[in-house]
């Protein structure tokens, strides 16, 4: 657990984000909010079809979510109150600024919803191809420079041991 000067507690956990107790779980989504693979599939499988249904309604109403932006749905059967769907960039196609933006906007959305805890996966490091090192560096910088309102705790959840070890090294070096 890291205690930051901005007041946030940050924890790195290796595991399945659908098992985490947090007010919001962040999903690594695509612009169409079609949760067909990776962490998105795991969230819908465990949380229930309501999450995909609300996602479809969102896209029908507002259009696709731009890269670097977020959208919110309920969390179905998961312990969380909300799912914040963050659309990260595809490595080499969209820029790192979009990953920075997706992470920052997920935190801002949690504050807007007056939540105290948020769990984040390694956005863009699966199907979207980002190296763990780059995602970890961007994430640590966003968390460090963030000025929280209601958020007290950020839990970063890494699925593989490899991802966990890389994030741990970069967070240890920077926090
Ligand atoms: P993206 O399209 O943004 O790359 P993915 O879902 O493919 O999204 O991958 C993002 C990260 O989430 C990857 O590091 C992947 O290993 C991880 N991941 C997959 N399933 C889970 C899960 N159940 N909990 C936490 N992280 C997960």
């Amino acid at each position: 657990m890291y205690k930051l000067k901005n007041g946030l507690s940050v924890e790195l956990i290796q595991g399945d984000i659908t098992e985490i107790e947090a007010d919001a779980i962040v999903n690594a989504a695509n612009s169409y909010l079609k949760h067909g693979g990776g962490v998105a599939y795991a969230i819908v499988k465990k949380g229930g079809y309501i999450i995909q249904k609300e996602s479809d309604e969102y896209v029908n109403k507002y259009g696709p979510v731009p890269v670097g932006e977020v959208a919110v749905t309920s969390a179905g059967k998961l312990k969380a109150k909300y799912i914040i769907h963050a659309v990260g960039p595809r490595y080499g196609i969209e820029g790192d600024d979009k990953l920075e933006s997706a992470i920052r906007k997920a935190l801002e959305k949690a504050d807007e919803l007056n939540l105290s805890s948020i769990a984040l996966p390694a956005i863009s490091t699966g199907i979207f191809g980002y190296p763990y090192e780059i995602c970890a560096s961007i994430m640590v910088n966003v968390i460090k420079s963030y000025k929280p309102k209601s958020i007290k705790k950020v839990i970063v959840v890494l699925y593989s041991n490899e991802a966990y070890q890389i994030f741990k090294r970069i967070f240890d070096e920077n926090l």
Side-chain angles (χ1 to χ4, degrees), residues 15-17 28 37-40 42 121-128 132 157 159:
D16 177 351
I17 202 166
V39 67
I123 298 171
S124 287
T125 64
I127 299 160
F128 283 2
Y132 294 127
V157 185
Y159 201 51

Side-chain angles (χ1 to χ4, degrees), residues 68-70 86-88 97-106 123:
E69 302 281 332
V70 300
V87 182
D97 58 314
K98 300 285 197 234
L99 186 50
E100 191 272 336
S101 161
I103 297 166
R104 187 170 37 78
K105 287 189 176 184
I123 298 171

Side-chain angles (χ1 to χ4, degrees), residues 43-75:
I43 287 171
V44 171
K45 189 168 177 218
K46 190 135 178 225
Y49 178 69
I50 181 83
I51 298 170
Q52 184 62 70
K53 184 170 176 280
E54 286 181 27
S55 296
D56 291 344
E57 284 163 4
Y58 183 96
V59 174
N60 285 337
K61 196 164 169 193
Y62 301 108
V65 182
V67 178
E69 302 281 332
V70 300
V72 180
T73 68
S74 67

